[in-house]
Amino acid sequence: MNTINEPSDELNPVKLRVMREFLNLLKSKDYCDISVSELAQAAQVGRTSFYRLFNRKLDVLLACHEQLFAKLFVGKETATDWLSPEPAEHLVEMLTFFNSNSAFRRSMAYQLGSDMALANRLLRQQLEQVISERLQQCFAEQLQIPADTLGCAIGGLYFNLFTMGIMGGANESPANQARYLQLLTRAQIKAALGEC
């Protein structure tokens, strides 16, 4: 199994190499200090090949997070999974990662530079999309609130909690954070099902 910050092996091998090298570079450098040239060189791909896969460096960050979000919701395959009173182990694992990795915190929260606002918006949209798709698969026509609207509300909860962890502002343990998030998610889904 891949670690929380390692891309899936199912991707295009060149794209996978770029993403892995990007994550490796983030261990020693801030996002804003990594150039496309440096990343392409580290991944042993030409700039032309890089730009066939990604329009900009921010797209590499988004691709890495797409993998991360997919892993987060591996355990949310059924309605029962979403309505469980206990959080999935993946959620606790990810919150532990965000809360404990100071290099990640510095790179993502403080050093995105001019990409900060756009990155936050796109990452939140990406997270909301993943959640909406999973909700649609699990609940389909049962929801009285559209899955995309519910996904935005739940995605906001997740995104805000992750941001607190990244910024170092979480006062609770990752296990408690995950439990609260699961209870809030469950309450929103039950409300969308008309069970309140």
Side-chain angles (χ1 to χ4, degrees), residues 11-172:
L11 296 172
N12 166 317
V14 177
K15 185 173 186 175
L16 179 64
R17 198 164 60 238
V18 171
M19 290 167 64
R20 282 193 175 141
E21 287 306 319
F22 176 72
L23 292 171
N24 284 336
L25 287 168
L26 280 176
K27 291 175 185 175
S28 60
K29 298 180 91 167
D30 290 322
Y31 170 90
C32 61
D33 295 330
I34 300 170
S35 69
V36 169
S37 296
E38 177 184 22
L39 179 54
Q41 183 179 4
Q44 299 178 340
V45 299
R47 284 177 63 92
T48 303
S49 295
F50 177 90
Y51 284 114
R52 278 192 200 117
L53 296 167
F54 304 100
N55 291 323
R56 58 194 169 200
K57 179 176 61 172
L58 178 58
D59 292 337
V60 182
L61 177 72
L62 295 172
C64 290
H65 278 80
E66 181 178 6
Q67 294 289 300
L68 209 118
F69 295 153
K71 288 177 188 178
L72 175 62
F73 295 104
V74 164
K76 301 284 190 189
E77 306 295 332
T78 67
T80 303
D81 297 332
W82 282 100
L83 294 172
S84 170
E86 298 301 319
E89 192 58 39
H90 289 84
L91 179 58
V92 177
E93 184 181 325
M94 188 166 293
L95 286 166
T96 300
F97 172 75
F98 283 154
N99 281 281
S100 65
N101 193 327
S102 62
F104 179 84
R105 183 179 304 135
R106 182 182 64 248
S107 295
M108 297 305 159
Y110 297 114
Q111 298 299 327
L112 284 171
S114 62
D115 284 346
M116 182 70 164
L118 181 59
N120 278 338
R121 183 173 58 80
L122 293 175
L123 287 170
R124 186 172 177 145
Q125 286 175 350
Q126 194 176 57
L127 178 60
E128 291 168 354
Q129 181 66 33
V130 169
I131 293 170
S132 297
E133 288 170 1
R134 293 288 174 121
L135 291 170
Q136 184 61 40
Q137 290 169 356
C138 294
F139 295 98
E141 302 302 317
Q142 298 172 50
L143 295 172
Q144 295 177 10
I145 297 172
D148 58 341
T149 302
L150 182 59
C152 286
I154 294 170
L157 286 171
Y158 274 77
F159 193 80
N160 290 337
L161 192 61
F162 291 156
T163 301
M164 281 183 3
I166 290 168
M167 300 294 253
N171 295 326
E172 296 284 341

